[in-house]
Amino acid sequence: MLNLLLIALLNIQLSAAKSFNFSLKIVHRDSPESPVYPGNLTFVEKIQRYIGFSEARASYLMSSISTHNNSAMHPSAKARTEVMPNGAIYMVKIGIGVLGTGYWLILDTGSDLTWIQCKPCVSCYDQVDPIFDPKYSSSFRNLSCTKEILCHPYFCNDRQCFYGISYGDGSISNGYIAREFFIFNTPSPPFRMKFGCSSKARGELMGKFSGILGMNMEPVSFMDDAYNGRPVQEFKKTPFVANPFSSNYYLDLQDISINGKRLNLPKDTFKIKGNGQGGCVIDSGTTITRLKSSVYITVKYELEAYFARYGIHRSYGGCGTTRSILCFELPRGFNAFPSMTYHFSGADLFVEPKHGFLFTISHFAPAITEGDAELTILGSWHQHNIRFIYDTGLRELSFAPEECDKDSP
């Protein structure tokens, strides 16, 4: 189970901020608790599904780099272009409004604005939850604006703040900016934050969800509207790396080890290039880690050599028809699987052997795949049983081992 503790700092002095503790129960889209639960899947079906989601997610993250600098506009003007996070894996249910009605939202660390569908709808897609109706919430407030800066980065018109998002697959979300109470499933006070009230939306890839919970590093995201004051002295820490073309969570990855053996990759392997390409992103919405091609080939050879010492060889059919993932035969009783370590600036992320692979009765596959671009994405499979703290104020990621299945939401 992936466990994320999400921290952000209000854009005021820390001494003036009121802190509160909160957590979000993160639900995998294939979980029985999910509103889009697909039913029991075979091992091969899961692998095919995870690879598909990861490829779609990678396309989303890479496309967001080229569209990052576009401005959001009034719905009647040309809306900014983004890519629908159709590869998103996790979702959360959050209470919204004075009544605390729960809504299923896609959790997306690549999006900025949190938005939900609202009545009255000019045009809305079907969703599982009732569409939010502002007139039944006494805590709902429109975000009025008399100056453009009060609405930035959106569009101020007739004292009202509007937004418009156009996704690459033809999906859209247009509406206005408002403030409302958001309520968690843990004992914590509700807090009022800015969000998009969408009166016009379409998109088959949204599934049955009510909207998106934006959690990137932009000031308008959910992350910068919430503050968590939990001490983190026991955690390892590594800084986020700035990419002027993206608000995703980039880390300074310096090298990788397989079973304690350093690969000694070239120093600039994971460096962000001048055009924003390359680098390493940690992402909750990508299941299987995607390594840039040169790194993947090195890791593949190292794993093949490691298992060859035990007489274990690659299988080209045991994990389904896909050729984009390594697959090995699993001898009865074999358990000498290697660990994997990501060496970040100031901190090493250790992936236990049992969390580095996907298993069936007769075969296994490392939870890595080859990317078709310079971007490396640390996926959620390699984040099992680790508590992560995203601190956007200090611009650092903290993490420590944790038995997540023993946590309560």
Side-chain angles (χ1 to χ4, degrees):
M1 181 184 296
L2 173 67
N3 193 332
L4 302 176
L5 176 61
L6 304 166
I7 287 187
L9 302 181
L10 292 171
N11 294 321
I12 55 178
Q13 292 183 354
L14 180 59
S15 60
K18 294 182 178 179
S19 65
F20 62 94
N21 294 315
F22 71 95
S23 65
L24 297 174
K25 182 177 181 180
I26 300 173
V27 178
H28 194 282
R29 67 184 300 159
D30 290 348
S31 165
E33 297 182 57
S34 165
V36 292
Y37 175 54
N40 291 328
L41 300 173
T42 67
F43 174 75
V44 171
E45 288 173 333
K46 287 180 180 179
I47 287 184
Q48 299 280 8
R49 191 170 170 86
Y50 293 161
I51 290 176
F53 287 152
S54 296
E55 289 177 347
R57 183 67 177 174
S59 296
Y60 166 50
L61 294 177
M62 288 185 291
S63 297
S64 68
I65 294 173
S66 61
T67 61
H68 174 72
N69 290 327
N70 292 333
S71 299
M73 298 181 176
H74 187 282
S76 62
K78 182 179 179 181
R80 66 175 177 175
T81 300
E82 294 186 359
V83 179
M84 175 59 71
N86 55 305
I89 294 295
Y90 294 99
M91 64 207 69
V92 294
K93 193 163 191 177
I94 292 182
I96 301 177
V98 69
L99 299 179
T101 303
Y103 294 89
W104 283 106
L105 305 180
I106 293 175
L107 184 151
D108 185 23
T109 53
S111 291
D112 49 18
L113 181 66
T114 293
W115 62 265
I116 62 171
Q117 295 194 122
C118 295
K119 289 185 177 181
C121 273
V122 176
S123 174
C124 287
Y125 59 82
D126 292 335
Q127 63 181 54
V128 172
D129 308 311
I131 294 177
F132 179 76
D133 193 341
K135 70 180 182 182
Y136 290 113
S137 179
S138 59
S139 56
F140 180 88
R141 299 289 186 275
N142 286 342
L143 184 66
S144 61
C145 52
T146 54
K147 297 180 180 179
E148 292 288 340
I149 194 172
L150 299 177
C151 186
H152 183 78
Y154 305 107
F155 186 87
C156 188
N157 183 44
D158 194 23
R159 301 178 65 88
Q160 177 68 54
C161 187
F162 293 93
Y163 78 93
I165 302 174
S166 176
Y167 296 99
D169 70 325
S171 303
I172 65 168
S173 175
N174 292 333
Y176 55 93
I177 304 296
R179 287 187 177 274
E180 181 56 282
F181 281 125
F182 280 63
I183 304 169
F184 303 102
N185 56 358
T186 52
S188 61
F191 70 96
R192 180 174 280 149
M193 63 171 277
K194 288 190 293 186
F195 75 108
C197 220
S198 180
S199 57
K200 184 178 181 181
R202 67 169 183 265
E204 295 181 2
L205 296 178
M206 283 301 297
K208 299 295 183 180
F209 305 107
S210 301
I212 291 177
L213 184 67
M215 300 188 104
N216 71 7
M217 299 186 76
E218 287 294 302
V220 297
S221 77
F222 172 85
M223 291 290 282
D224 271 0
D225 262 331
Y227 169 71
N228 184 309
R230 175 180 171 176
V232 293
Q233 290 86 346
E234 69 275 20
F235 288 71
K236 295 180 180 180
K237 301 178 181 180
T238 186
F240 290 123
V241 179
N243 183 343
F245 296 90
S246 173
S247 295
N248 295 317
Y249 295 99
Y250 284 82
L251 300 174
D252 182 12
L253 178 58
Q254 300 176 343
D255 203 358
I256 295 174
S257 290
I258 303 296
N259 209 40
K261 178 184 176 182
R262 283 246 190 182
L263 299 181
N264 292 319
L265 299 169
K267 187 177 180 179
D268 61 349
T269 297
F270 303 101
K271 183 179 179 180
I272 300 173
K273 295 178 171 52
N275 60 0
Q277 301 297 319
C280 174
V281 169
I282 181 171
D283 182 57
S284 62
T286 302
T287 304
I288 298 176
T289 292
R290 290 174 64 86
L291 302 174
K292 59 182 290 186
S293 183
S294 61
V295 177
Y296 175 83
I297 291 172
T298 302
V299 171
K300 179 175 76 74
Y301 285 156
E302 187 65 30
L303 289 173
E304 287 177 331
Y306 175 88
F307 289 114
R309 295 196 291 269
Y310 295 93
I312 299 174
H313 303 288
R314 187 173 179 180
S315 170
Y316 289 91
C319 299
T321 57
T322 180
R323 301 284 178 168
S324 60
I325 193 167
L326 282 171
C327 184
F328 296 91
E329 297 176 357
L330 178 59
R332 186 182 298 272
F334 178 79
N335 197 34
F337 296 97
S339 63
M340 192 169 182
T341 304
Y342 294 95
H343 301 285
F344 296 106
S345 173
D348 291 343
L349 177 62
F350 180 78
V351 180
E352 295 184 12
K354 64 180 179 179
H355 297 142
F357 299 86
L358 302 155
F359 295 96
T360 184
I361 296 175
S362 58
H363 293 81
F364 66 93
I368 59 172
T369 188
E370 181 178 10
D372 55 2
E374 288 291 306
L375 181 64
T376 289
I377 306 173
L378 178 62
S380 61
W381 204 268
H382 283 170
Q383 300 175 40
H384 273 72
N385 275 3
I386 301 172
R387 179 175 288 266
F388 290 90
I389 299 177
Y390 291 71
D391 193 322
T392 60
L394 296 178
R395 298 187 65 85
E396 67 181 13
L397 178 74
S398 303
F399 55 88
E402 182 165 329
E403 295 182 67
C404 298
D405 58 345
K406 295 183 180 180
D407 289 344
S408 57

